[in-house]
Amino acid sequence: MLEEAAPEWLSEEVKTGTTIIGIEYDGGVVLGSDSRVSAGETVVNRVMNKLSPLHDKIYCALSGSAADAQTMAEIVNYQLDVHSIEIGEDPQVRSAATLVRNISYKYREELSAHLIVAGWDRRNGGQVFATMKGLLTRQPFAVGGSGSSYVYGFVDAEYRRGMSKQECQQFVVNTLSLAMNRDGSSGGVAYIVTIDEHGTEEKVILGNQLPTFFDQ
Amino acid sequence: MKPNAALEGLFNGGNTPKAMKTGTTIAGVVFKDGVVLGADTRATSGEVVADKMCAKIHYISPNIYCCGAGTAADTEKTTDLLSSNLAIYSLNSGRNPRVVMAVNILQDMLYRYHGQIGANLILGGVDCTGNHLYTVGPYGSVNKVPYLSMGSGDLAALGILEDGFKPDLELEPAKELVRAAIKAGIMNDLGSGNNIDICVITKQRVDYIRPYQESQYKDNRKIKYKYRPGMTPFLTEKVVPLKLEVVQESVQKMETA
């Protein structure tokens, strides 16, 4: 007996149910995310790039409600463009993070998205900011999304100050792989973005190329 | 989200009219020379098929078409609004509309209504930047992918697409892939059925093939339900002539100089 002609998930909100991570090193930052977008129990997009550019050398990682996060990123992208034309130079990462924070604080009751902002600027080099629910804090590394709960132990134990660019990229890939294996709402492929003085480098690591751990 | 919650109060616990949902299978594939969109043609209202030949592929602009799943009225109106707005934008700027413009307008509109508009749309088109396929959800989230399916039959169709999709397909294999995907949705989902419509968009032209494949389960009506002229018997006849008077006559000369 048909209760409803259409399944529940069609009207359910689309969440990015994610793992995102950002880490800074001397000279730049590495941002990473998985690629799964879910609506209820269905995967709506298995190859979504959740690393969204806010400016040439500033990216943000999206998590939470897909619509809210995408819209916030678009609005901040526009505001940052205007700001950088007004000041006549590339914007600071802190400015981008502040713009994101302003939106998530003002609309904290209506929005349910968390963005990690990371980038490189001339003044302070590589920086990572967390902006959940309206706070603004600079951290050496930040994890977010539903998959982050499973890897707090790993990142706390494995992080060391003064890692090189390659070590940071490996750290990000390992973290994403572990989280994607344990969290049902994270999966697909891994997207990595490395931002430094010389530019931005985007990389995709396919599912079967991710590092494997004890149970695989 | 239940925008009609207020309506339920008026019916005192009786049966509220159910919104007509398209309970659908729609799919799209990007191929070498353009985009192929496909859809079934069944519209359901509760458990009754309300329309057996519903058109789910909507015109947006000469180079962009849109498939809609969800509440039928919402998809119709949203795509009409989008089509008008896009026409105004392109007249204002003097450029052909781009698919990404349509996506942005849609996302803006749907996000503003926070999911109250139940429209799941697949937008496909060809513009000067290439061949594009996007999907927009009712809350305003956008996904850009080379192939996808939406609607209640989407998982069945997605299985076919995942198996058969390759980048840079030729036209005929692409049409066949979409046809097979919609067919899978029709066969395995109660909310989808009847015929299959296909729309092929390329740089040179648009082929809207409706229907591309007809359902093999067509019913045969036993008798005709049309009344022949003269079947209704006259009981009485009364003729009343209307007396009309000329009140005013005015002549306007037409200048042809």
Side-chain angles (χ1 to χ4, degrees):
Chain A
M1 204 22 195
L2 255 188
E3 275 306 319
E4 253 198 64
E8 283 292 318
W9 70 262
L10 252 187
S11 45
E12 261 188 50
E13 193 169 348
V14 174
K15 296 200 152 242
T16 52
T18 296
T19 310
I20 49 176
I21 168 171
I23 176 170
E24 78 174 60
Y25 62 92
D26 183 22
V29 291
V30 181
L31 257 183
S33 82
D34 74 308
S35 67
R36 182 172 288 184
V37 179
S38 48
E41 282 132 23
T42 322
V43 174
V44 172
N45 189 348
R46 61 181 170 87
V47 283
M48 164 136 187
N49 191 344
K50 299 176 192 175
L51 304 176
S52 191
L54 295 179
H55 202 77
D56 297 335
K57 295 217 170 70
I58 307 175
Y59 271 63
C60 71
L62 315 172
S63 75
S65 152
D68 288 346
Q70 281 178 346
T71 306
M72 275 168 73
E74 272 178 35
I75 294 175
V76 173
N77 185 347
Y78 160 75
Q79 290 175 336
L80 211 54
D81 270 348
V82 173
H83 172 68
S84 80
I85 290 174
E86 282 175 350
I87 61 174
E89 59 177 27
D90 283 340
Q92 290 187 32
V93 186
R94 185 171 276 272
S95 313
T98 307
L99 287 169
V100 173
R101 187 275 307 271
N102 289 347
I103 300 178
S104 45
Y105 183 72
K106 185 164 180 197
Y107 298 103
R108 52 187 309 189
E109 304 302 329
E110 291 103 47
L111 293 175
S112 64
H114 167 38
L115 271 61
I116 293 181
V117 181
W120 182 93
D121 63 43
R122 251 190 353 210
R123 237 183 233 246
N124 297 99
Q127 301 143 75
V128 172
F129 290 88
T131 64
M132 173 133 68
K133 282 266 181 229
L135 77 78
L136 175 65
T137 171
R138 179 179 169 184
Q139 295 174 287
F141 70 90
V143 290
S146 58
S148 63
S149 330
Y150 301 93
V151 288
Y152 272 112
F154 174 76
V155 296
D156 284 342
E158 284 293 312
Y159 174 76
R160 282 156 296 120
R161 264 189 290 264
M163 289 202 278
S164 71
K165 177 165 104 167
Q166 277 72 27
E167 286 173 323
C168 282
Q169 286 173 331
Q170 194 55 50
F171 179 77
V172 164
V173 169
N174 286 342
T175 314
L176 287 173
S177 177
L178 284 166
M180 278 153 62
N181 278 327
R182 283 292 181 183
D183 179 29
S185 315
S186 302
V189 304
Y191 288 99
I192 313 279
V193 159
T194 314
I195 311 172
D196 61 15
E197 174 182 15
H198 308 290
T200 341
E201 184 198 320
E202 292 190 12
K203 224 169 30 156
V204 181
I205 302 179
L206 299 180
N208 56 357
Q209 293 162 351
L210 284 170
T212 56
F213 295 90
F214 85 99
D215 59 347
Q216 292 154 294
Chain B
M1 295 256 119
K2 288 203 185 322
N4 291 326
L7 199 61
E8 275 158 33
L10 297 172
F11 281 80
N12 289 330
N15 288 327
T16 49
K18 285 236 174 68
M20 185 163 97
K21 288 181 154 245
T22 51
T24 294
T25 308
I26 48 178
V29 162
V30 173
F31 72 102
K32 197 172 79 161
D33 303 315
V35 178
V36 181
L37 296 173
D40 73 307
T41 60
R42 174 180 288 184
T44 51
S45 175
E47 281 111 43
V48 179
V49 176
D51 190 348
K52 287 186 282 193
M53 197 56 179
C54 167
K56 300 183 189 175
I57 306 184
H58 309 279
Y59 167 86
I60 302 290
S61 80
N63 57 330
I64 305 172
Y65 277 72
C66 172
C67 303
T71 311
D74 287 342
T75 57
E76 279 283 340
K77 263 293 174 252
T78 310
T79 46
D80 276 350
L81 260 172
L82 172 64
S83 176
S84 318
N85 284 337
L86 207 61
I88 294 174
Y89 273 126
S90 76
L91 282 169
N92 257 339
S93 62
R95 292 167 193 234
N96 272 335
R98 301 190 185 186
V99 188
V100 69
M101 279 164 66
V103 172
N104 283 333
I105 297 172
L106 259 183
Q107 180 190 38
D108 202 42
M109 195 190 310
L110 293 174
Y111 185 76
R112 233 178 307 140
Y113 285 94
H114 290 297
Q116 305 268 19
I117 298 184
N120 279 293
L121 303 162
I122 295 185
L123 265 148
V126 178
D127 58 33
C128 57
T129 54
N131 316 323
H132 304 287
L133 189 65
Y134 287 87
T135 172
V136 186
Y139 284 85
S141 56
V142 173
N143 287 306
K144 183 180 200 308
V145 261
Y147 61 91
L148 47 78
S149 65
M150 290 292 249
S152 53
D154 71 334
L155 289 176
L158 203 54
I160 302 285
L161 291 173
E162 288 279 15
D163 187 44
F165 177 81
K166 277 183 275 291
D168 292 327
L169 280 166
E170 294 290 335
L171 173 61
E172 286 309 318
K175 273 159 72 174
E176 175 53 31
L177 182 64
V178 173
R179 187 209 63 80
I182 305 290
K183 187 73 189 287
I186 289 175
M187 285 293 132
N188 296 293
D189 174 45
L190 296 177
S192 309
N194 301 98
N195 309 324
I196 302 177
D197 289 346
I198 294 261
C199 182
V200 181
I201 310 169
T202 53
K203 218 172 175 50
Q204 294 83 19
R205 49 190 280 206
V206 171
D207 259 328
Y208 193 137
I209 311 167
R210 175 173 155 80
Y212 182 69
Q213 184 181 55
E214 291 210 337
S215 154
Q216 58 215 111
Y217 303 104
K218 272 201 124 52
D219 58 359
N220 296 314
R221 298 268 164 82
K222 299 283 188 290
I223 50 172
K224 276 199 146 39
Y225 296 101
K226 261 193 135 110
Y227 290 108
R228 281 188 327 273
M231 273 190 80
T232 313
F234 283 80
L235 293 179
T236 50
E237 188 176 327
K238 181 172 174 187
V239 178
V240 176
L242 280 171
K243 286 206 204 50
L244 293 172
E245 285 174 19
V246 178
V247 175
Q248 188 192 49
E249 190 179 331
S250 67
V251 176
Q252 191 173 50
K253 281 215 189 86
M254 194 163 72
E255 304 273 346
T256 52

